[in-house]
Amino acid sequence: MPAPTGFSYAQRGEDVVISHHGKVDTTLRGSRAAEFLAAETGDAQELMARLTGNYRRGNERQARAHPRN
């Protein structure tokens, strides 16, 4: 599975706005924003994908073969 790409973030005061391909995806406020800014270790793209819920879960191939599809 390829790594997530296209995420960026901007800090606006105490809030953190996460965008995906230029469109605002989510806004983190309070303690979640502070945790995000403190967790700059590792892959930031992966972290932003997980926080927004915009990532592949690994079951897309199985879902394509479902009789309903």
Side-chain angles (χ1 to χ4, degrees):
M1 180 167 40
T5 58
F7 288 96
S8 62
Y9 74 93
Q11 188 174 358
R12 296 183 184 162
E14 295 181 7
D15 299 343
V16 175
V17 179
I18 298 177
S19 302
H20 187 238
H21 293 295
K23 294 183 179 181
V24 173
D25 203 355
T26 191
T27 302
L28 303 175
R29 293 185 173 91
S31 62
R32 291 198 57 153
E35 289 174 13
F36 172 76
L37 292 173
E40 285 293 325
T41 60
D43 186 13
Q45 293 288 311
E46 181 72 28
L47 178 60
M48 287 186 276
R50 291 199 179 276
L51 286 172
T52 61
N54 192 355
Y55 61 96
R56 293 186 175 256
R57 291 160 183 86
N59 61 353
E60 289 82 10
R61 195 172 294 165
Q62 292 173 350
R64 191 176 332 148
H66 193 275
R68 184 176 50 222
N69 294 333

